[in-house]
Amino acid sequence: MKLAVEVKKFMAMKKRKAAVLIILCVVTLLSACGKEKTAETSVPIQTTETEPAALPDASDQPEQPNESARSEDKPSAPVEFETADGFMSSFLLASDRDLIDTTNDYGVFYRVVYEASLKGDELTACGSMDYRNFKDQDPITISSDQTHIFKVDNNTVYRKGTEEGDKIVSKEEFAELLESRKDSGMFFEVESSGGVVKAAYLAAQ
C-alpha cells in the first residue's frame, strides 16, 4: 500500500518535471523566435536615397519667342531689282503682310508694302506692287511678296500729296515719311525711266 503511494508520488513528480521541461522548451523556443524577429527588424536596411532631380536653370532654357516675334518670323521675300520703265504702286500697310496673295471682295489682289526705306541710292519696298506702263492704266500685273529695289539718283523727285495738291519734299523727308507712315495705308508710287526712279510719290487715301 505504502509502495503504491510512493509510486504515485514519483509518477506525479515526473509529470511535473516533464511539464516544467516542456514549458521551458516552449519558452526557450519562443524567446529564440522573438530574438530572430528582433534581429530582422533591427538590421539596418540600406536604402539608396535618390536626390530629386534639380530643376533646370532658367538661364539654360532656350528663349521662347514671343507672339510678336513669331508673326515677324517669316522667310525673307525674294529680291527683285526693278529696272523696267513705267509705274509701280502699292499701299503702306506694315501689319497686313498676310493679305499678300489674297483678294478683296471684288477678286482683286491686295497690294501691300509692309516695309519701305530710302537709303543711299536705293529705294526699297517689301511686299506686293502692281505694274503699269502708264499712270492712268489699270494694273497689268500684281507681284507676290518681293523685295523691290529701285535705283535713285540726284535727279529723282520726291513728292507727297497734300490737301492743297502735290508738294515736292526732300529725300530725307520722304525717307522719314516711309518710316513714320509705314502702317498708315498711304498710297505709294514709283515712276521709273531708264532703270532709275524719275519720281517717288506718297499720298493719304
Side-chain angles (χ1 to χ4, degrees), residues 156-192:
T156 301
V157 177
Y158 304 96
R159 299 196 318 270
K160 73 172 182 178
T162 68
E163 290 180 357
E164 291 78 32
D166 294 349
K167 176 184 173 183
I168 293 177
V169 297
S170 67
K171 180 180 179 180
E172 291 73 25
E173 186 177 345
F174 196 85
E176 195 277 328
L177 282 170
L178 288 176
E179 175 58 33
S180 63
R181 306 294 177 84
K182 60 185 176 183
D183 205 20
S184 63
M186 287 184 81
F187 178 70
F188 170 62
E189 185 178 70
V190 177
E191 179 187 359
S192 296

Side-chain angles (χ1 to χ4, degrees), residues 69-101:
R70 281 196 196 102
S71 63
E72 295 170 6
D73 226 10
K74 295 187 177 180
S76 299
V79 176
E80 184 70 33
F81 290 90
E82 304 293 354
T83 56
D85 291 356
F87 293 80
M88 292 188 73
S89 61
S90 189
F91 298 89
L92 301 185
L93 294 165
S95 59
D96 287 339
R97 184 177 180 180
D98 290 340
L99 291 178
I100 297 173
D101 292 329

